[in-house]
Amino acid sequence: MTAHEPQITDALVAAHGLKPEEYQRILALIGRVPSFTELGIFSAMWNEHCSYKSSRLHLRKLPTKAPWVIKGPGENAGVIDIGDGDACVFKMESHNHPSFIEPYQGATTGVGGILRDVFTMGARPIACLNLLRFGSPKHAKTRHLVAGVVAGIGGYGNSFGVPTVGGSTAFDSSYDGNILVNAMAVGLAKTDSIFYSAAAGVGNPIVYLGSKTGRDGIHGATMASASFEADTEEKRPTVQVGDPFSEKLLLEACLELMASGAVIAIQDMGAAGLTSSAVEMGAKGNLGVELDLDAVPCREEGMTAYEMMLSESQERMLMVLRPEKEKNAEAIFRKWGLDFAIVGKTTDTLRFVVKHRGQVKADLPIKELGDQAPLYDRPYTPTPTPAKIDTDAITAPTSNDLALLALLATPDLCSKRWVWEQYDHLILGNTVRAPGGDAAVVRIGDGPKGLALSTDVTARYCAADPREGGKQAAAECWRNITARGAKPLALTDNLNFGNPEKPEIMGQFIGCLEGVGEAARALDFPIVSGNVSLYNETQGKGIPPTPAIGGVGVIADVALAAQTGFGAEGDTLLLVGTTEGWLGQSIYSRDLMGRADGAPPPVDLAVERRNGDFVRELVLSGSVSAVHDISDGGLAVALAEMVLSGGIGATVEELPPGPTHAILFGEDQARYLLSSPPQKAEALLRAAEAVGVPVTRIGRTGGDALTLPNEAPILLRELRKAHETPFPDYMAGNDRAFYDKDVSENADARR
């Protein structure tokens, strides 16, 4: 230890996020007191964000294999075979803590990081999505956080040149102190040109590529592995700073270098920066790594070994190159104006050795840095199963037409056009179905084939019953892809939870994971990549369990992809699935009646698959003119969304039996709303009966209003005003823009 390095004390160990027993494990592993740099390396590799020490025991239980899965979890991103020699590479990750502290940069670097995960595998990114959760609109910080996050996502994605084609934005007071910013990226590669991170060969050069290293983001991964306390603002320096233009150069340089045959292994410098990338490359290849930090390009003077190893500066890569291609590789990167530096070599020692200014700053066993990270089987308490709400005992709070207008003006159900219009969703020219529907559809190259993409989760279901909520999150994503006519192939997840050291939170995690896994198995929807984000908690208050799901499906011809909006007058309205009027945990009960009790709607996965497969066949056969999954807000909200999307009204003439408000606003699962030309509707009904799929004729399209049974027609302009104006009004400073049941004149004013 050099004179200027601090002494290793219990307080310093604790400041690095390591518990006393974990530090004792370090002492036993290396047989001495670690250097300051070594302590930082252990802190980076053994924090929750990098080691998954509370979750990996349970993640092993998830289904990750299928004939079309080329690479499941364990790499920078998952890879699936989508036919014709093409592979889809995709992943979702969180940038929750950084985005709460500094929303613009937190969101930009979240997008930048997930894009690098995709092109590190040799894929060209073609689309981005996101899943955003904010606190109550009444909270003092919410408007500021929304503005910063949306600007950051748009600023990075638009500048980088990849369309942001879909996402999900919702609000709840439980996210007041800890928002969620989950970013997903999707790319294309050839199945025989996938690049991996395992180093190979002894004595091969390890090359640093991209932007220079600075002091931004030091301890970023450690910060992301801890809950927020009163010192949140002091953590601002741990947030990285992104540069989308540098990343665009890095993308092009990396893909050109990969095509040259020079790359043996490649790893993004993401969380924990140079430390995690170097250790993971060596450990996966059963090799040692020796780094010389004197060669690392730095943008700040006097950076120490500790700072360089823990910096999370953006737009950086680490590669193992073929020695004979070194000069060619350097020429490619110099051409693109990026740094290229040989910073080390592979060895046969299985040691991770870091040198700086002629001194050895770290000398550690490389495999044990990952393999010997703590693994906790944490105690857990299952969430009690709630009782079903007796729908007959619930009195409708207002007429159904006013209830619909009110729901369309709530924070969760109002139009998010204000959000997605700040994203360039048309760049590259391949977006076939834009944001605002069930799933985005993106054409693959100049052919007919396309990808359907969606992100979903209903956190209130997960909080009430984690297992059912986990099943519903995966099933809802599968359903959204199916509604376009695409075949769902695989999913990525972002498991956002509170403090796993609390048994009730660990119970939520395990329950949701079991539900997601059950749905993935039943729907042939394997999990090929993902991220776990724990300690989403502020001063003891955690977020609700939010296992975000990002799904990918394939459609053979994008011209067949279903529209959300009604496309013609006089079409027959058809309801697919069984409707009982399930109001437990519905937005109707929560936002109009102030009730947060009851069990969420159950998910019958066999029924999901049967109904979804039938709907997909209808889409591909041209039997339907519009399709929409029925979810939040139930049948009435789905109708309103289809009316608004297509600009054509509808009349509901008949409903399934039951209390009308429950049938209209209940959130029963495995349901779709279809419109079909009358001449095709009869054959459709006969086909449904033949395969045992319940389909009910409920009305017809046409006119300039939506008419519910026994209610006055609601003009399209009334629907549009209720749906479209709240979000922009709120962002303009109107604190009463959204419907609020506590403001008595709110609903009437919207008529």
Short mmCIF file of all heavy atoms in Angstrom, two decimals, residues 391-392 394-401 403-404 579-583 588 633-637 639 652-668 671 707-711:
data_model
loop_
_atom_site.label_atom_id
_atom_site.label_comp_id
_atom_site.label_asym_id
_atom_site.label_seq_id
_atom_site.Cartn_x
_atom_site.Cartn_y
_atom_site.Cartn_z
N THR A 391 -68.21 -8.62 -6.76
CA THR A 391 -68.60 -7.57 -7.69
C THR A 391 -70.01 -7.08 -7.44
O THR A 391 -70.30 -5.88 -7.57
CB THR A 391 -68.47 -8.07 -9.14
OG1 THR A 391 -67.14 -8.54 -9.35
CG2 THR A 391 -68.78 -6.97 -10.15
N ASP A 392 -70.91 -7.97 -7.06
CA ASP A 392 -72.30 -7.57 -6.84
C ASP A 392 -72.45 -6.58 -5.71
O ASP A 392 -73.44 -5.85 -5.63
CB ASP A 392 -73.16 -8.81 -6.54
CG ASP A 392 -73.27 -9.74 -7.74
OD1 ASP A 392 -73.15 -9.23 -8.88
OD2 ASP A 392 -73.46 -10.95 -7.54
N ILE A 394 -70.42 -4.09 -5.17
CA ILE A 394 -69.84 -2.80 -5.54
C ILE A 394 -70.88 -1.98 -6.29
O ILE A 394 -71.44 -2.42 -7.29
CB ILE A 394 -68.60 -3.00 -6.43
CG1 ILE A 394 -67.51 -3.74 -5.64
CG2 ILE A 394 -68.06 -1.66 -6.93
CD1 ILE A 394 -66.29 -4.07 -6.46
N THR A 395 -71.13 -0.79 -5.80
CA THR A 395 -72.07 0.12 -6.45
C THR A 395 -71.31 1.03 -7.40
O THR A 395 -70.32 1.66 -7.01
CB THR A 395 -72.81 0.97 -5.40
OG1 THR A 395 -73.47 0.11 -4.49
CG2 THR A 395 -73.84 1.88 -6.08
N ALA A 396 -71.79 1.13 -8.64
CA ALA A 396 -71.13 2.00 -9.62
C ALA A 396 -71.17 3.44 -9.12
O ALA A 396 -72.21 3.93 -8.70
CB ALA A 396 -71.83 1.89 -10.96
N PRO A 397 -70.03 4.14 -9.17
CA PRO A 397 -69.97 5.50 -8.61
C PRO A 397 -70.63 6.55 -9.49
O PRO A 397 -70.96 7.63 -9.02
CB PRO A 397 -68.47 5.76 -8.49
CG PRO A 397 -67.86 4.92 -9.58
CD PRO A 397 -68.72 3.70 -9.66
N THR A 398 -70.81 6.27 -10.77
CA THR A 398 -71.39 7.25 -11.69
C THR A 398 -71.87 6.51 -12.92
O THR A 398 -71.72 5.28 -13.02
CB THR A 398 -70.35 8.32 -12.07
OG1 THR A 398 -70.96 9.32 -12.90
CG2 THR A 398 -69.17 7.72 -12.82
N SER A 399 -72.46 7.20 -13.85
CA SER A 399 -72.90 6.55 -15.09
C SER A 399 -71.69 6.04 -15.84
O SER A 399 -70.57 6.54 -15.70
CB SER A 399 -73.69 7.53 -15.95
OG SER A 399 -72.86 8.62 -16.34
N ASN A 400 -71.89 5.04 -16.67
CA ASN A 400 -70.77 4.40 -17.36
C ASN A 400 -70.10 5.32 -18.37
O ASN A 400 -68.90 5.21 -18.61
CB ASN A 400 -71.25 3.11 -18.03
CG ASN A 400 -71.63 2.04 -17.02
OD1 ASN A 400 -70.98 1.89 -15.99
ND2 ASN A 400 -72.70 1.31 -17.31
N ASP A 401 -70.86 6.21 -19.00
CA ASP A 401 -70.23 7.13 -19.95
C ASP A 401 -69.32 8.11 -19.23
O ASP A 401 -68.19 8.38 -19.67
CB ASP A 401 -71.28 7.85 -20.81
CG ASP A 401 -72.27 8.65 -19.98
OD1 ASP A 401 -72.44 8.36 -18.78
OD2 ASP A 401 -72.90 9.57 -20.55
N ALA A 403 -67.95 7.56 -16.30
CA ALA A 403 -66.85 6.76 -15.75
C ALA A 403 -65.77 6.56 -16.81
O ALA A 403 -64.57 6.65 -16.51
CB ALA A 403 -67.37 5.42 -15.26
N LEU A 404 -66.17 6.29 -18.04
CA LEU A 404 -65.20 6.11 -19.10
C LEU A 404 -64.40 7.38 -19.35
O LEU A 404 -63.16 7.34 -19.47
CB LEU A 404 -65.89 5.66 -20.38
CG LEU A 404 -64.99 5.51 -21.61
CD1 LEU A 404 -63.84 4.54 -21.35
CD2 LEU A 404 -65.80 5.07 -22.83
N THR A 579 -65.75 -13.00 -20.08
CA THR A 579 -65.83 -11.79 -19.26
C THR A 579 -66.73 -12.05 -18.07
O THR A 579 -67.93 -12.30 -18.22
CB THR A 579 -66.37 -10.61 -20.09
OG1 THR A 579 -65.51 -10.38 -21.20
CG2 THR A 579 -66.44 -9.35 -19.24
N GLU A 580 -66.13 -12.00 -16.87
CA GLU A 580 -66.90 -12.13 -15.64
C GLU A 580 -67.10 -10.78 -14.96
O GLU A 580 -67.93 -10.64 -14.08
CB GLU A 580 -66.20 -13.08 -14.67
CG GLU A 580 -66.09 -14.51 -15.18
CD GLU A 580 -65.38 -15.42 -14.19
OE1 GLU A 580 -64.99 -14.92 -13.11
OE2 GLU A 580 -65.20 -16.61 -14.49
N GLY A 581 -66.29 -9.78 -15.36
CA GLY A 581 -66.38 -8.47 -14.71
C GLY A 581 -65.51 -8.39 -13.47
O GLY A 581 -65.95 -7.97 -12.40
N TRP A 582 -64.24 -8.79 -13.61
CA TRP A 582 -63.32 -8.84 -12.46
C TRP A 582 -62.83 -7.43 -12.13
O TRP A 582 -62.04 -6.85 -12.87
CB TRP A 582 -62.14 -9.75 -12.78
CG TRP A 582 -61.35 -10.11 -11.57
CD1 TRP A 582 -60.50 -9.30 -10.87
CD2 TRP A 582 -61.35 -11.36 -10.88
NE1 TRP A 582 -59.97 -9.96 -9.80
CE2 TRP A 582 -60.47 -11.24 -9.78
CE3 TRP A 582 -62.00 -12.58 -11.10
CZ2 TRP A 582 -60.22 -12.29 -8.91
CZ3 TRP A 582 -61.75 -13.62 -10.22
CH2 TRP A 582 -60.87 -13.48 -9.14
N LEU A 583 -63.29 -6.90 -10.99
CA LEU A 583 -62.94 -5.52 -10.61
C LEU A 583 -61.83 -5.44 -9.57
O LEU A 583 -61.33 -4.35 -9.30
CB LEU A 583 -64.19 -4.80 -10.08
CG LEU A 583 -65.26 -4.47 -11.14
CD1 LEU A 583 -66.47 -3.84 -10.48
CD2 LEU A 583 -64.69 -3.56 -12.21
N TYR A 588 -60.53 0.93 -12.49
CA TYR A 588 -61.87 1.42 -12.16
C TYR A 588 -62.06 1.47 -10.65
O TYR A 588 -62.47 2.49 -10.09
CB TYR A 588 -62.91 0.50 -12.81
CG TYR A 588 -64.35 0.87 -12.57
CD1 TYR A 588 -65.02 1.73 -13.43
CD2 TYR A 588 -65.07 0.33 -11.50
CE1 TYR A 588 -66.35 2.06 -13.24
CE2 TYR A 588 -66.40 0.64 -11.29
CZ TYR A 588 -67.04 1.51 -12.16
OH TYR A 588 -68.36 1.83 -11.95
N GLY A 633 -58.38 -0.95 -17.54
CA GLY A 633 -59.60 -0.24 -17.86
C GLY A 633 -60.66 -1.09 -18.51
O GLY A 633 -61.80 -0.64 -18.71
N GLY A 634 -60.32 -2.32 -18.90
CA GLY A 634 -61.29 -3.25 -19.42
C GLY A 634 -61.80 -2.95 -20.80
O GLY A 634 -61.19 -2.22 -21.60
N LEU A 635 -62.95 -3.53 -21.11
CA LEU A 635 -63.54 -3.46 -22.44
C LEU A 635 -63.84 -2.03 -22.88
O LEU A 635 -63.57 -1.65 -24.02
CB LEU A 635 -64.82 -4.30 -22.46
CG LEU A 635 -65.70 -4.22 -23.71
CD1 LEU A 635 -64.93 -4.70 -24.94
CD2 LEU A 635 -66.98 -5.05 -23.51
N ALA A 636 -64.38 -1.22 -21.98
CA ALA A 636 -64.76 0.14 -22.36
C ALA A 636 -63.56 0.97 -22.77
O ALA A 636 -63.61 1.72 -23.76
CB ALA A 636 -65.51 0.81 -21.21
N VAL A 637 -62.47 0.86 -22.03
CA VAL A 637 -61.27 1.62 -22.38
C VAL A 637 -60.67 1.11 -23.68
O VAL A 637 -60.22 1.89 -24.52
CB VAL A 637 -60.25 1.59 -21.22
CG1 VAL A 637 -58.90 2.14 -21.66
CG2 VAL A 637 -60.78 2.38 -20.03
N LEU A 639 -62.31 -0.18 -26.17
CA LEU A 639 -63.17 0.38 -27.21
C LEU A 639 -62.81 1.83 -27.51
O LEU A 639 -62.67 2.23 -28.68
CB LEU A 639 -64.63 0.31 -26.76
CG LEU A 639 -65.39 -0.98 -27.04
CD1 LEU A 639 -66.67 -1.03 -26.20
CD2 LEU A 639 -65.71 -1.10 -28.51
N VAL A 652 -72.07 -0.26 -28.98
CA VAL A 652 -72.14 -1.54 -28.28
C VAL A 652 -73.61 -1.90 -28.11
O VAL A 652 -74.35 -1.19 -27.43
CB VAL A 652 -71.42 -1.48 -26.92
CG1 VAL A 652 -71.53 -2.83 -26.21
CG2 VAL A 652 -69.96 -1.10 -27.10
N GLU A 653 -74.04 -2.99 -28.71
CA GLU A 653 -75.45 -3.37 -28.72
C GLU A 653 -75.77 -4.47 -27.72
O GLU A 653 -76.91 -4.62 -27.28
CB GLU A 653 -75.83 -3.83 -30.13
CG GLU A 653 -75.64 -2.74 -31.17
CD GLU A 653 -75.65 -3.27 -32.60
OE1 GLU A 653 -75.39 -4.48 -32.77
OE2 GLU A 653 -75.89 -2.48 -33.52
N GLU A 654 -74.78 -5.27 -27.35
CA GLU A 654 -75.03 -6.40 -26.47
C GLU A 654 -73.77 -6.70 -25.69
O GLU A 654 -72.65 -6.60 -26.21
CB GLU A 654 -75.43 -7.62 -27.30
CG GLU A 654 -75.82 -8.83 -26.48
CD GLU A 654 -76.23 -10.01 -27.36
OE1 GLU A 654 -76.33 -9.83 -28.58
OE2 GLU A 654 -76.42 -11.10 -26.81
N LEU A 655 -73.92 -7.06 -24.41
CA LEU A 655 -72.79 -7.39 -23.56
C LEU A 655 -73.00 -8.75 -22.91
O LEU A 655 -74.15 -9.21 -22.78
CB LEU A 655 -72.62 -6.33 -22.45
CG LEU A 655 -72.09 -4.96 -22.86
CD1 LEU A 655 -72.14 -4.00 -21.67
CD2 LEU A 655 -70.67 -5.05 -23.40
N PRO A 656 -71.94 -9.40 -22.48
CA PRO A 656 -72.09 -10.62 -21.69
C PRO A 656 -72.90 -10.33 -20.43
O PRO A 656 -72.98 -9.18 -19.97
CB PRO A 656 -70.65 -11.01 -21.35
CG PRO A 656 -69.82 -10.36 -22.41
CD PRO A 656 -70.52 -9.08 -22.73
N PRO A 657 -73.52 -11.35 -19.83
CA PRO A 657 -74.35 -11.12 -18.63
C PRO A 657 -73.51 -10.66 -17.44
O PRO A 657 -72.35 -11.05 -17.30
CB PRO A 657 -74.99 -12.48 -18.38
CG PRO A 657 -74.07 -13.47 -19.05
CD PRO A 657 -73.52 -12.76 -20.25
N GLY A 658 -74.13 -9.85 -16.58
CA GLY A 658 -73.47 -9.36 -15.38
C GLY A 658 -73.72 -7.89 -15.19
O GLY A 658 -74.28 -7.22 -16.07
N PRO A 659 -73.32 -7.34 -14.03
CA PRO A 659 -73.46 -5.89 -13.81
C PRO A 659 -72.74 -5.13 -14.92
O PRO A 659 -71.57 -5.40 -15.20
CB PRO A 659 -72.80 -5.68 -12.45
CG PRO A 659 -72.83 -7.02 -11.79
CD PRO A 659 -72.71 -8.01 -12.88
N THR A 660 -73.44 -4.18 -15.54
CA THR A 660 -72.88 -3.53 -16.73
C THR A 660 -71.54 -2.87 -16.46
O THR A 660 -70.61 -2.97 -17.26
CB THR A 660 -73.88 -2.49 -17.27
OG1 THR A 660 -75.13 -3.14 -17.54
CG2 THR A 660 -73.36 -1.84 -18.54
N HIS A 661 -71.42 -2.17 -15.32
CA HIS A 661 -70.15 -1.47 -15.04
C HIS A 661 -69.00 -2.46 -14.87
O HIS A 661 -67.87 -2.19 -15.28
CB HIS A 661 -70.29 -0.56 -13.81
CG HIS A 661 -70.43 -1.29 -12.51
ND1 HIS A 661 -71.56 -1.98 -12.16
CD2 HIS A 661 -69.56 -1.44 -11.47
CE1 HIS A 661 -71.40 -2.52 -10.96
NE2 HIS A 661 -70.19 -2.22 -10.52
N ALA A 662 -69.29 -3.63 -14.30
CA ALA A 662 -68.24 -4.64 -14.13
C ALA A 662 -67.85 -5.25 -15.47
O ALA A 662 -66.66 -5.50 -15.74
CB ALA A 662 -68.71 -5.72 -13.17
N ILE A 663 -68.83 -5.50 -16.33
CA ILE A 663 -68.53 -6.06 -17.65
C ILE A 663 -67.73 -5.07 -18.48
O ILE A 663 -66.80 -5.43 -19.21
CB ILE A 663 -69.83 -6.46 -18.38
CG1 ILE A 663 -70.60 -7.52 -17.57
CG2 ILE A 663 -69.54 -6.94 -19.78
CD1 ILE A 663 -69.81 -8.80 -17.32
N LEU A 664 -68.06 -3.78 -18.38
CA LEU A 664 -67.37 -2.76 -19.17
C LEU A 664 -65.96 -2.47 -18.66
O LEU A 664 -65.05 -2.22 -19.45
CB LEU A 664 -68.18 -1.46 -19.18
CG LEU A 664 -69.43 -1.45 -20.06
CD1 LEU A 664 -70.22 -0.17 -19.81
CD2 LEU A 664 -69.06 -1.58 -21.54
N PHE A 665 -65.77 -2.49 -17.34
CA PHE A 665 -64.51 -2.01 -16.77
C PHE A 665 -63.71 -3.09 -16.04
O PHE A 665 -62.60 -2.83 -15.56
CB PHE A 665 -64.76 -0.83 -15.83
CG PHE A 665 -65.43 0.33 -16.50
CD1 PHE A 665 -66.76 0.65 -16.23
CD2 PHE A 665 -64.74 1.11 -17.41
CE1 PHE A 665 -67.38 1.73 -16.86
CE2 PHE A 665 -65.35 2.19 -18.05
CZ PHE A 665 -66.68 2.50 -17.77
N GLY A 666 -64.23 -4.30 -15.96
CA GLY A 666 -63.49 -5.39 -15.34
C GLY A 666 -62.26 -5.75 -16.18
O GLY A 666 -62.24 -5.57 -17.39
N GLU A 667 -61.25 -6.29 -15.52
CA GLU A 667 -59.97 -6.55 -16.20
C GLU A 667 -59.68 -8.05 -16.31
O GLU A 667 -58.55 -8.49 -16.12
CB GLU A 667 -58.85 -5.78 -15.49
CG GLU A 667 -59.06 -4.27 -15.58
CD GLU A 667 -57.99 -3.42 -14.89
OE1 GLU A 667 -57.00 -4.00 -14.37
OE2 GLU A 667 -58.15 -2.19 -14.84
N ASP A 668 -60.70 -8.82 -16.66
CA ASP A 668 -60.50 -10.25 -16.93
C ASP A 668 -59.41 -10.42 -17.99
O ASP A 668 -59.30 -9.64 -18.93
CB ASP A 668 -61.80 -10.86 -17.44
CG ASP A 668 -62.98 -10.58 -16.53
OD1 ASP A 668 -63.54 -9.46 -16.64
OD2 ASP A 668 -63.33 -11.45 -15.74
N ARG A 671 -58.24 -11.75 -23.11
CA ARG A 671 -59.31 -11.21 -23.95
C ARG A 671 -58.75 -10.26 -25.01
O ARG A 671 -57.74 -9.59 -24.81
CB ARG A 671 -60.33 -10.46 -23.10
CG ARG A 671 -61.08 -11.34 -22.11
CD ARG A 671 -62.20 -10.57 -21.43
NE ARG A 671 -61.67 -9.40 -20.72
CZ ARG A 671 -62.41 -8.32 -20.40
NH1 ARG A 671 -63.68 -8.26 -20.77
NH2 ARG A 671 -61.86 -7.32 -19.74
N THR A 707 -71.01 4.66 -28.34
CA THR A 707 -72.27 4.52 -27.61
C THR A 707 -72.25 3.23 -26.80
O THR A 707 -72.15 2.13 -27.36
CB THR A 707 -73.47 4.50 -28.57
OG1 THR A 707 -73.45 5.68 -29.38
CG2 THR A 707 -74.77 4.45 -27.79
N LEU A 708 -72.30 3.36 -25.48
CA LEU A 708 -72.37 2.23 -24.58
C LEU A 708 -73.83 1.91 -24.30
O LEU A 708 -74.71 2.77 -24.43
CB LEU A 708 -71.63 2.55 -23.28
CG LEU A 708 -70.16 2.94 -23.42
CD1 LEU A 708 -69.58 3.31 -22.06
CD2 LEU A 708 -69.35 1.82 -24.06
N PRO A 709 -74.16 0.68 -23.88
CA PRO A 709 -75.55 0.32 -23.63
C PRO A 709 -76.22 1.24 -22.61
O PRO A 709 -75.66 1.53 -21.54
CB PRO A 709 -75.45 -1.11 -23.08
CG PRO A 709 -74.18 -1.64 -23.65
CD PRO A 709 -73.26 -0.47 -23.70
N ASN A 710 -77.39 1.74 -22.97
CA ASN A 710 -78.22 2.57 -22.09
C ASN A 710 -77.55 3.87 -21.66
O ASN A 710 -77.86 4.43 -20.60
CB ASN A 710 -78.64 1.78 -20.84
CG ASN A 710 -79.37 0.51 -21.18
OD1 ASN A 710 -80.27 0.50 -22.02
ND2 ASN A 710 -78.96 -0.60 -20.57
N GLU A 711 -76.60 4.36 -22.48
CA GLU A 711 -75.92 5.63 -22.19
C GLU A 711 -76.02 6.54 -23.40
O GLU A 711 -76.18 6.09 -24.54
CB GLU A 711 -74.44 5.40 -21.83
CG GLU A 711 -74.19 4.44 -20.69
CD GLU A 711 -74.56 5.01 -19.33
OE1 GLU A 711 -74.91 6.21 -19.24
OE2 GLU A 711 -74.52 4.23 -18.35
#
